[in-house]
Amino acid sequence: MRPGETTPRAVLACGEVRTCLLPARQALDSRSAAQLLGLRADERVLLSERPNLYGRSPDTLTGVDCPLPSSNGSRVRAVGTVTARASLTEGRVLQSSAYFRVPAAGPDHRRPWGHYLVRPGVVEPFGKLPREAVAQGLLGGGRHGELDVGLIADGLLTRLLRHPLLDQRPPLRSRPTRLRWVALPADPGDGPSIERFTLAEDELRTVRLRVPEGTRSAEVAGLCDDLALHDWLLTTVVRILDGIRLGSAPPPARPRPQGPDDLPAVVRALRPAVDHLLHLWMPRARVAGELAPLWDALEERPGFTRQWQTLVQRIRDQLTLHAIPSSHREVEPVP
């Protein structure tokens, strides 16, 4: 960046997060996680063991030169770079995230790439940005040929899923989810807020945020990574419970189970959730302090942790029920 130049103030940020179960029979330890997430030779993987095992890759940049999506059909060409990164939680849940920020206005012609490379994660429009129309267009996904940050996140995830460390033998069935977000400036003096959180089709979630001026887009991306992780956990455990017949009569108890195939079907279905998922629930563990209050709104409505605790209790109740010998379960009522 030349002396006297500054990064333009952003009036819009956007990103997308892809979340999935790591396709490996065993969770990766710290050393293996560092190998998986080592996207750049010149930067180390960030590893943390408190409050849980977590690894995050270095940032990578993707150059873009294309129109921005807009809800009113206006064609706004933009040039810059999109930041992408990946993370692994407890060696088990893999996420890829891509995001960028946009200033209110940009030059009326394209500048040399060096101008954009010294502004990582900034995409500059040609002329004035129709902020509201572009925000709606970005949440809607846009059309072919327009900037699609989800494709960048998906490309990074696909690259990681092909890593030779992964044996492609996940311990349970699950589906990946997508969370697409936009963040607009809050009114002066207001704190951060969630204007809308929706569950759409095809495993897509959308979030529209308001954040105080000066909030770093990396911090907003971190919040949305955390939201995407816990939404994926909820979605996956709900599907596990929906896929089994709870309340049906358990089979007669066998003297001594000899292996996994000897366990009741309900226990076999629920055990992977206990072994690999239930200990991962830890909202806002790595969310910036000024954005952490947004989780309070999610806890109030729709009530993420309340739903999670209910699901966990249902799983524990089922496992307890199937641990009771059949002679104690099958008691005839006395007339």
Side-chain angles (χ1 to χ4, degrees):
M1 188 176 297
R2 292 192 296 269
E5 285 191 322
T6 59
T7 300
R9 182 175 63 87
V11 296
L12 173 66
C14 171
E16 189 161 323
V17 191
R18 304 292 174 100
T19 307
C20 70
L21 184 71
L22 192 74
R25 191 66 182 174
Q26 299 295 329
L28 298 188
D29 58 19
S30 297
R31 183 175 180 181
S32 298
Q35 289 181 260
L36 175 71
L37 299 174
L39 302 181
R40 294 173 51 179
D42 60 333
E43 284 195 42
R44 298 178 60 183
V45 173
L46 173 66
L47 294 173
S48 173
E49 295 183 352
R50 300 289 186 275
N52 56 10
L53 183 61
Y54 175 82
R56 193 178 73 200
S57 75
D59 290 345
T60 63
L61 297 178
T62 300
V64 296
D65 181 351
C66 55
L68 294 172
S70 67
S71 60
N72 61 8
S74 58
R75 191 170 178 84
V76 181
R77 181 182 170 190
V79 184
T81 59
V82 174
T83 300
R85 64 190 186 190
S87 63
L88 186 65
T89 302
E90 286 289 347
R92 180 48 72 195
V93 181
L94 180 63
Q95 294 182 284
S96 65
S97 175
Y99 60 94
F100 62 92
R101 62 190 188 277
V102 191
D108 56 5
H109 62 279
R110 178 171 169 168
R111 297 184 178 181
W113 268 115
H115 168 84
Y116 303 104
L117 291 176
V118 296
R119 296 168 171 79
V122 176
V123 174
E124 295 185 352
F126 283 21
K128 188 176 180 180
L129 178 75
R131 183 173 64 186
E132 184 58 37
V134 169
Q136 294 180 22
L138 288 167
L139 277 185
R143 296 168 295 184
H144 179 71
E146 297 177 332
L147 179 55
D148 187 345
V149 71
L151 288 179
I152 297 174
D154 188 61
L156 176 55
L157 184 64
T158 300
R159 170 184 169 185
L160 294 170
L161 291 176
R162 294 172 177 167
H163 198 283
L165 276 173
L166 308 180
D167 59 20
Q168 306 303 322
R169 297 174 58 209
L172 55 93
R173 291 183 179 181
S174 64
R175 300 178 191 173
T177 58
R178 300 179 292 149
L179 185 142
R180 185 181 301 147
W181 58 269
V182 296
L184 297 162
D187 291 334
D190 287 352
S193 62
I194 297 177
E195 289 190 339
R196 187 166 61 250
F197 173 61
T198 61
L199 304 181
E201 297 178 356
D202 300 325
E203 319 304 324
L204 174 66
R205 289 86 171 96
T206 61
V207 183
R208 181 180 167 112
L209 304 161
R210 292 280 180 177
V211 296
E213 183 177 343
T215 304
R216 297 173 58 241
S217 53
E219 294 177 348
V220 182
L223 166 74
C224 293
D225 289 352
D226 193 53
L227 173 56
L229 170 66
H230 291 85
D231 172 78
W232 180 88
L233 286 170
L234 273 174
T235 301
T236 301
V237 172
V238 165
R239 285 180 177 148
I240 290 173
L241 287 167
D242 286 346
I244 57 180
R245 296 180 59 189
L246 299 181
S248 59
R254 300 184 181 184
R256 292 184 61 185
Q258 299 299 314
D261 293 339
D262 296 297
L263 295 172
V266 171
V267 176
R268 291 201 306 271
L270 294 178
R271 184 170 179 174
V274 176
D275 291 343
H276 301 282
L277 301 182
L278 297 193
H279 62 291
L280 300 182
W281 191 263
M282 203 171 294
R284 58 184 140 196
R286 291 178 174 84
V287 175
E290 58 269 28
L291 297 178
L294 289 177
W295 261 105
D296 295 335
L298 294 170
E299 299 293 23
E300 181 66 26
R301 185 176 181 182
F304 269 47
T305 297
R306 287 199 308 273
Q307 184 181 6
W308 178 258
Q309 291 172 343
T310 300
L311 294 172
V312 170
Q313 190 59 52
R314 287 181 66 194
I315 290 173
R316 289 175 176 165
D317 289 345
Q318 286 296 316
L319 295 178
T320 300
L321 174 65
H322 284 78
I324 300 173
S326 59
S327 59
H328 291 79
R329 286 197 300 257
E330 300 170 3
V331 178
E332 295 292 334
V334 176

